[in-house]
Structures are given as C-alpha cells and as structure tokens.
Amino acid sequence: MTAIVPPSECPSCNGVLIFINDILYCKNKSCSEQQQKKLENFAQKVKIKGLGPSTLEKLSITQIDELYHLEQEDINTAIGDKLGSKLFKEIIKSHEAPANLLLPAFSIPLVGNTATKKLADVCDTIWDISMDTCTEAGLGPKTARHMVDWIEDNLDLLSRLPHSMTFEKINRTSNQAVVCITGKLYTYKSKSLTAKVLQDFGYEVKS
C-alpha cells in the first residue's frame, strides 16, 4: 500500500504548513489565498453586493483598506461601466456599516456574531474593547485575547477605513422574551432568517 504523504508547503504562497489538531494550516499572513478569502468574507459580511471572487481578482486588491481607496474609474476599467457604477455605490453604502457587522467581517479567530453581540452590549465603539470590557461582556479568555491582540495589531488598518467603528445598539423588548421557532413558516423563508429578525428586535432565540 502506498503511503499518503501530506504536503509540507502551501500551494498558494509556498509557506510552511503546520499541523494543528490534525489539520494543515498555512500561517503566512501574507498568503494570497488567505487574503482573498478574507476579502470575500468582508464583502459578504458588510453586504457589498457584486463583490465576489472573480470581481476581487479583477480589481487586484489584497487588503480591506485598498477596497475603500478605489476610484470609480478604476472599478469601471476592471469590470465595465455598468457593473462598476453599481459596485462603487455598494462600496460607498458600506461606509455606514456599524461595528456589529465589521467585527465578524474582519475574520478574527473565534470572533463571530455571538461575541460581537455581547461586545455591543457593553461597548460604544471598537476603541472601547479591552480585556476588561471583553470579560464584562462574557467573552472567554481565548476569544478576548484574540480580539484585543487583533485590534492592537491592526490599528493602522482601522485608521484607514471610513467606518465610524460605532456599535449599533439593538432595542431590547421589555420582557426579554425567549422564542422557540417550530412548525411551518409563512412570513420568512427559513428559520435562520426568522431568528435573525427576532434577535434584531431583542428576543432570545433558542432551539
């Protein structure tokens, strides 16, 4: 039987691959494939329509802040006038994205919608985030460390972005009701979409 030899180098950047919990990871922060996926995640999370993998490739950008320094002429040259005009408007519109959308969009390890929601309850802006406020929000030590370290390592990036970095405070219902979604849905297409709407109104959704 022929033994299967795992690769030792990243196929995108030739960086050294490291086994973590039996999974191979490329730890090179400059890896082109990683940067591409982070940009795709950012565009999706802050709801920039029309900014998919092929478009990102045509725009030849590798960092999030580069997206906000594109002129409409640059975009039109890359993807055409009609699509370029629409995309430019979407990028401008995304300037208004609150910290609630930005944090999950930054691809910070362990920091997703749940952690962001907790931080929004105790912080007014991203600049209020510290180990103390993370603990107050109920984040675990690993998540808190990832969050604080990422901010410290990316101060330059954050300063180059057009966003206010302010958390949008969600109105909570007076009785803090807990909702369990069961049965057939008529108003919304899926349980996940229904859950998001309920959470936006301050309800707690449980299975």
Side-chain angles (χ1 to χ4, degrees), residues 8-161:
S8 59
E9 295 181 349
C10 173
S12 296
C13 68
N14 297 321
V16 177
L17 296 177
I18 300 173
F19 268 109
I20 300 177
N21 296 327
D22 296 327
I23 299 176
L24 279 172
Y25 288 93
C26 172
K27 304 299 283 186
N28 177 16
K29 293 182 179 180
S30 300
C31 177
S32 59
E33 188 67 20
Q34 290 188 52
Q35 296 298 335
Q36 176 81 1
K37 293 301 180 183
K38 286 179 180 179
L39 281 167
E40 289 176 27
N41 178 66
F42 182 85
Q44 182 183 32
K45 293 294 172 60
V46 299
K47 303 176 182 179
I48 303 177
K49 296 177 182 178
L51 192 57
S54 61
T55 301
L56 282 168
E57 187 175 347
K58 291 176 183 177
L59 292 173
S60 299
I61 58 175
T62 59
Q63 302 294 330
I64 293 171
D65 59 305
E66 292 176 3
L67 175 65
Y68 292 102
H69 289 88
L70 289 170
E71 299 290 342
Q72 182 162 357
E73 184 179 347
D74 300 327
I75 301 174
N76 289 358
T77 300
I79 64 174
D81 292 350
K82 186 175 181 180
L83 291 177
S85 179
K86 288 182 179 179
L87 178 57
F88 186 73
K89 289 178 181 178
E90 288 291 323
I91 293 173
I92 295 299
K93 182 181 176 182
S94 75
H95 289 197
E96 301 174 2
N100 311 57
L101 296 180
L102 288 174
L103 284 187
F106 287 138
S107 301
I108 306 169
L110 303 180
V111 178
N113 292 328
T114 300
T116 301
K117 181 181 176 183
K118 291 179 179 179
L119 286 168
D121 287 336
V122 300
C123 298
D124 292 323
T125 72
I126 285 179
W127 309 119
D128 296 329
I129 297 175
S130 65
M131 288 301 293
D132 288 338
T133 53
C134 285
T135 299
E136 183 183 351
L139 270 61
K142 277 190 175 182
T143 303
R145 187 75 269 166
H146 279 301
M147 181 75 262
V148 173
D149 286 349
W150 188 91
I151 291 177
E152 291 178 353
D153 293 341
N154 290 274
L155 290 175
D156 287 343
L157 168 65
L158 292 172
S159 68
R160 293 195 297 269
L161 294 178

